Amino acid sequence: MEQYEPDRLSPAQVAAMRRSLRNGRAAMTRRSLLRASAGGAFAVGGLGALSACGIPAAGKTQGGTSAEDHSATEKRVSFSNWTEYIDVDDSGKRHPTLETFHKRTGITVDYTEDINDNNEFFGKLKPQLAAGQDTGRDIIVLTDWLAARLIRLGWVQKLDPSNLPHAYSNLSPQFRNPDWDPGRAYSYPWQGISTVIAYNKKALDGIEVKSVSDLLDNPRLKGRVGFLSEMRDSIGMTLLDMGKDPAKFTGDDFDAAIARLQKAVDKGQIRRFTGNDYTSDLTKGDFAACVAWAGDVVQLKADSPDVDFVIPDSGYVTSTDNMCVPNRARHKTNAERLIDFYYEPDQAAALAAYINYVTPVDGVKPYLARIDKDAANNPLIVPDKAMQARSHAFRSLSQKEETAYEEKFAKLTGA
């Protein structure tokens, strides 16, 4: 288990956190609300505050700490999620899938939309987690990098496979074995987040864009190209274009990707690095093409006939938001039953039809087609096997790597 060490945040990490809160994934709302993938890794109010509070790290063994499970006598489960990240009926007040779960099981779901940013939410939970206390929540949804850290700290519980038959059987192969939770012993994805290349057909005016190389090297696109201000997305896509796997890259590989982007910055090829505000640049045509988040592209395509996307032959970067059960949760079995419920294809389809993210559930397409044929045939929501094979995750970073890489990326972007 990783012990907490009270490292100070570097200026670059603080800048990265502020970028995410101001205009990155953390700044968005439903369907385009993509989570801060780097976010300055445990920024102000996060892990760095633990030592100041005199709170020790969790126990010495990985696997979390269980409490007496009250699931059998207390038919309820407390579920904390990101804002507007679940299906809602026409009244805007009811969640049909949660009501279906309640009718089937008799378990009441106390559903709270109290997550707006990974670091901010962690700041709420850290005193209880570090002190080995109940957080009052049975399920929390964390972006992969933060889920990874909590697993290493031993602050979330190992899941019971016997309560997760649908999740075990139906989890899409592309999400089964992240390096931070092989085999999904401690987490299951809520939804996936993909990074692709988006373009404005009118602004391209016949120019072909199929790869990151096209963005960086075609002189006809000079000053009309955008990259993302989230390090993992922009560097990950560049690494793939260079023939490197974001799950296995070295420090030298990272430096080479930085150098490649720096060359494009120096010659004016890249107009700017953006958060979610690239959507305006793209629809107006100020960006002819850019690195983009798939959740945005789904909506932009619906609103603008000029916007489309391409998946490079080299592949694309995917991250996940993940359901975890924190230590000392009172209703672990109920939590596992709810996690498993969302891996039933019909329930996963109902969720995907509303929020339009990448569904992590295999076999969902025919169920989704009954609700929304366009969504079922959209590879940004239901990736086919060929697209799944081109999906790559950005590997976990140590604290030392995080600091060094954010500093280099901040210098590149001028943050």
Side-chain angles (χ1 to χ4, degrees), residues 132-331:
Q133 299 171 354
D134 179 15
T135 66
R137 298 165 175 86
D138 302 303
I139 298 176
I140 53 179
V141 179
L142 307 173
T143 303
D144 44 21
W145 64 267
L146 181 55
R149 179 58 68 96
L150 264 64
I151 290 170
R152 291 196 300 269
L153 286 168
W155 288 356
V156 294
Q157 298 187 52
K158 194 168 186 177
L159 302 173
D160 184 349
S162 68
N163 293 327
L164 297 159
H166 297 97
Y168 181 81
S169 298
N170 297 333
L171 176 60
S172 174
Q174 75 180 104
F175 298 121
R176 281 192 178 272
N177 287 293
D179 66 350
W180 48 272
D181 187 15
R184 292 290 181 177
Y186 299 90
S187 68
Y188 270 92
W190 175 247
Q191 297 289 285
I193 304 166
S194 297
T195 306
V196 299
I197 294 176
Y199 58 87
N200 183 309
K201 288 179 278 189
K202 185 176 180 180
L204 282 179
D205 192 25
I207 301 171
E208 187 174 66
V209 171
K210 291 186 176 181
S211 67
V212 169
S213 287
D214 291 332
L215 298 182
L216 296 176
D217 301 332
N218 190 329
R220 295 174 64 191
L221 296 177
K222 182 176 180 179
R224 299 191 295 140
V225 168
F227 274 73
L228 292 169
S229 58
E230 296 293 348
M231 182 263 288
R232 284 168 172 80
D233 297 300
S234 287
I235 295 294
M237 293 293 282
T238 304
L239 285 168
L240 285 169
D241 191 70
M242 298 168 62
K244 303 296 183 179
D245 187 346
K248 300 176 182 177
F249 70 90
T250 66
D252 287 343
D253 295 334
F254 184 92
D255 289 345
I258 287 284
R260 187 153 188 242
L261 289 170
Q262 186 67 60
K263 182 179 178 180
V265 169
D266 292 343
K267 67 182 182 181
Q269 185 77 6
I270 296 176
R271 184 184 184 94
R272 65 191 185 105
F273 291 82
T274 72
N276 68 306
D277 47 332
Y278 73 83
T279 57
S280 175
D281 288 313
L282 187 62
T283 54
K284 290 188 300 183
D286 291 340
F287 282 164
C290 62
V291 177
W293 291 311
D296 288 330
V297 178
V298 172
Q299 296 305 306
L300 293 176
K301 277 173 60 66
D303 297 333
S304 173
D306 292 327
V307 173
D308 212 333
F309 74 98
V310 64
I311 303 296
D313 289 340
S314 60
Y316 65 102
V317 175
T318 301
S319 57
T320 51
D321 287 328
N322 309 276
M323 295 176 282
C324 302
V325 178
N327 284 359
R328 300 290 182 183
R330 286 179 62 88
H331 312 107

